[in-house]
Amino acid sequence: MLGMIDIGYLPSIILMLFFFGFCIFIHEFGHLLAAIWRGLHVERFSVGFGHAIKKWTYKGIEYRLSWIPFGGYVAIPQLEPGDHVETSDGKPLPHAKPLDRIIVAFAGPLFNILFGFLLATMVWAIGYNGPKPATSFEVGTVQQTYLTADGERRPTPEAKAGLQPGDIVHKVNGRGFDRGWESAVKEIVFADDAKVVLDITRDGEPKQISYTLVGNPQQDNVGFPFISPRFETQVSMIYEDSPAVAAGLKAGDVILEVNGRDVLNSEVLIETTKASKGAPMDLKVRRGDEILEIAGIQAKEREIEGRVQWMLGLGLAPKVEIVRLHPTPWKQFTEVINLTARTLRSLFDRLNPIRARNMGGPVMIVQAMTQSFHAGFMYGINLVVLITFSLAIVNLLPVPVLDGGHIVFGLVEGIAGRRVPSRVALPLTYAFAFMIIGFMLYVTFHDINRMIPKSAPTEVSSEAYEPAPAMSETESVVAPAEGDALEKDAGD
């Protein structure tokens, strides 16, 4: 099994396992402490799941250390709905007071929030590297058409609405933003009723561009924009025995022009290279303070997944200004609340392309955490903050089975003066339990499906963004570019 894992990822995997499990553990630990404080009967507290490695009893509570290290659980019979409450061996228990049940149910999410604020304070104090904050972005390329699932080619909504390279976007649906392209994408993807209004500046004149979102086949059919921002295109790596080596290109070079055309972003170079079909191309390159002219570079023909492509043999990455970011704990918390609320609202918005299949389950979370810790410890911690805050917010939803459902039952009992009858509470609990399990299986299926390499691309067009070619065992990198790469390299 270890032979199948890149040994360089092992520290990241260990960190992922610890923090993923701890987010669940701290939640259950909150329930445990509150239950002990309020005098409820606690049968068992387990660190991990499955068979016990070791167990012991202290003050009537069985504590376990179990084999599966993903969080844990606490067994509190008096939180369960029903007319009769009893221990696991059949001994009757008194009904817990509504206030006690509410406090114990709320303690789990509360501990997630406290843990989140602790880590968020660390993020605030130490910070992490990211693009310099920006209140606008410049459009670099606009994809003109896209291929639908049924094979029909249609104009993209941005192209149809008249958005152009060079337009500077300041607001989306009347909202400003502080992270440039990243913030704008979120505003677009979560647009209510799929309606997008962009406040732009073109040639110094303010304008508005309006259009309706469609699902982007290249982005899991969410309403991701068919545009890319302008950024300088830097050579991040070069393959041996490639046209790039023969032409004298070096890692760190910034490509300014191709055949006299401004390289507004990497897609311009990729598109031009594909269209050349091996014909000589001229590049203008900046290397340090020097401007170089490279004439007659010719792409090589290569077959990838049954398609002939023309490649220069280099990797591309955006060259952007990197700064140390220090978001406050409150800002991190409110951003998660806003993101969760907008996601849930979009799921019930029949016009927005976001669907349940686009949600991420445990598989995606594990993958994202591993990749984040591999990129850097603070990147991983930043994601853990999002996850633990999200776990608290979701658990507070007023749904039977979740903590929010227990709180609602407690409030109803406190107001009505009687427990919710088991003939009502139990069917509701079982129904929502099956729904949640079904939902988790559904999103997990799509998580795994997204990880499986597809036999053929969904888009065959010079307008499509091409991923970097996988390096074979006979290829090697001449030199990496210095500096931070914020996005996955684009192959050319």
Side-chain angles (χ1 to χ4, degrees):
M1 179 70 179
L2 287 176
M4 299 172 62
I5 301 175
D6 183 346
I7 194 72
Y9 273 85
L10 281 179
S12 304
I13 292 171
I14 292 170
L15 286 169
M16 176 275 296
L17 289 172
F18 173 78
F19 281 103
F20 185 83
F22 198 81
C23 285
I24 303 172
F25 165 80
I26 198 69
H27 181 98
E28 300 300 331
F29 189 63
H31 289 315
L32 172 69
L33 292 185
I36 293 174
W37 172 44
R38 304 305 294 183
L40 271 62
H41 177 77
V42 181
E43 294 203 336
R44 184 181 309 111
F45 179 76
S46 176
V47 177
F49 296 94
H51 291 292
I53 302 172
K54 182 177 177 59
K55 55 185 177 180
W56 64 96
T57 301
Y58 178 70
K59 292 187 176 181
I61 301 173
E62 180 187 277
Y63 293 88
R64 288 187 176 191
L65 183 63
S66 302
W67 280 106
I68 305 175
F70 284 96
Y73 65 92
V74 58
I76 308 173
Q78 287 160 297
L79 283 185
E80 300 304 317
D83 297 329
H84 304 287
V85 183
E86 56 186 30
T87 64
S88 58
D89 56 4
K91 296 178 181 178
L93 290 170
H95 289 301
K97 297 177 181 178
L99 179 60
D100 293 338
R101 302 211 325 268
I102 291 171
I103 289 173
V104 173
F106 181 71
L110 175 63
F111 269 53
N112 277 128
I113 292 171
L114 294 176
F115 177 55
F117 269 103
L118 176 66
L119 293 184
T121 302
M122 182 191 304
V123 172
W124 178 41
I126 299 174
Y128 60 92
N129 288 340
K132 184 179 180 179
T135 56
S136 64
F137 75 89
E138 182 177 348
V139 177
T141 54
V142 180
Q143 186 172 317
Q144 296 299 303
T145 64
Y146 70 101
L147 201 63
T148 64
D150 55 8
E152 181 183 356
R153 184 166 290 283
R154 297 178 181 172
T156 63
E158 291 88 348
K160 196 173 179 179
L163 195 64
Q164 299 176 10
D167 289 345
I168 299 175
V169 181
H170 301 277
K171 292 183 179 180
V172 179
N173 289 337
R175 293 189 180 97
F177 41 81
D178 59 3
R179 294 183 186 173
W181 168 249
E182 178 187 346
S183 298
V185 167
K186 288 181 182 178
E187 294 295 337
I188 292 170
V189 166
F190 292 114
D192 292 340
D193 297 327
K195 302 296 183 183
V196 177
V197 178
L198 303 179
D199 286 330
I200 70 168
T201 301
R202 178 180 298 166
D203 299 326
E205 296 293 327
K207 291 177 66 70
Q208 280 195 336
I209 298 287
S210 302
Y211 64 90
T212 301
L213 289 178
V214 297
N216 188 332
Q218 300 166 42
Q219 300 288 343
D220 203 23
N221 283 311
V222 300
F224 198 92
F226 290 92
I227 62 176
S228 296
R230 178 171 187 162
F231 54 76
E232 288 194 320
T233 300
Q234 185 177 48
V235 177
S236 60
M237 64 179 66
I238 299 178
Y239 299 107
E240 285 187 344
D241 301 322
S242 67
V245 170
L249 284 169
K250 295 183 179 181
D253 287 348
V254 176
I255 301 178
L256 304 176
E257 293 182 8
V258 55
N259 291 341
R261 180 183 177 189
D262 287 342
V263 177
L264 300 175
N265 57 35
S266 59
E267 294 184 28
V268 173
L269 180 61
I270 293 168
E271 177 187 331
T272 306
T273 302
K274 291 172 66 176
S276 75
K277 297 186 177 179
M281 298 186 301
D282 298 328
L283 302 179
K284 181 183 285 187
V285 173
R286 186 177 74 237
R287 182 177 298 162
D289 296 328
E290 187 180 5
I291 302 297
L292 306 176
E293 301 281 352
I294 296 178
I297 185 171
Q298 294 178 268
K300 276 187 180 179
E301 185 178 6
R302 183 174 175 184
E303 185 173 317
I304 299 176
E305 297 181 346
R307 288 196 297 154
V308 173
Q309 299 202 24
W310 298 90
M311 316 291 268
L312 294 177
L314 49 79
L316 304 173
K319 181 177 175 61
V320 296
E321 185 176 354
I322 301 300
V323 297
R324 201 71 177 171
L325 300 175
H326 297 269
T328 65
W330 183 250
K331 181 177 176 63
Q332 295 174 64
F333 180 58
T334 54
E335 283 185 348
V336 174
I337 292 176
N338 181 263
L339 179 63
T340 304
R342 299 186 76 174
T343 301
L344 292 174
R345 185 168 63 244
S346 296
L347 285 175
F348 294 97
D349 184 344
R350 63 183 183 84
L351 299 178
N352 191 292
I354 291 177
R355 295 292 179 265
R357 66 176 179 272
N358 303 125
M359 299 297 99
V363 172
M364 191 209 73
I365 292 172
V366 165
Q367 183 185 39
M369 287 182 69
T370 303
Q371 292 173 345
S372 296
F373 277 116
H374 190 69
F377 182 74
M378 291 311 299
Y379 291 119
I381 293 298
N382 192 38
L383 183 59
V384 174
V385 170
L386 185 150
I387 290 170
T388 190
F389 281 154
S390 298
L391 184 62
I393 294 166
V394 170
N395 266 281
L396 285 173
L397 294 176
V399 175
V401 177
L402 300 179
D403 296 324
H406 290 301
I407 292 171
V408 169
F409 284 150
L411 289 172
V412 170
E413 181 180 346
I415 295 170
R418 54 177 301 214
R419 288 175 65 88
V420 177
S422 60
R423 67 179 182 274
V424 175
L426 290 177
L428 279 174
T429 300
Y430 292 144
F432 277 96
F434 282 120
M435 288 173 60
I436 291 173
I437 292 171
F439 177 79
M440 293 304 298
L441 291 174
Y442 180 75
V443 297
T444 299
F445 169 80
H446 284 282
D447 279 351
I448 295 172
N449 188 53
R450 281 189 286 268
M451 296 171 63
I452 299 173
K454 303 298 184 291
S455 58
T458 58
E459 178 79 85
V460 183
S461 167
S462 63
E463 297 163 338
Y465 185 90
E466 293 298 330
M471 291 174 58
S472 67
E473 294 179 358
T474 59
E475 293 178 314
S476 62
V477 174
V478 173
E482 295 182 359
D484 294 288
L486 295 179
E487 298 182 9
K488 187 177 181 180
D489 291 335
D492 193 0

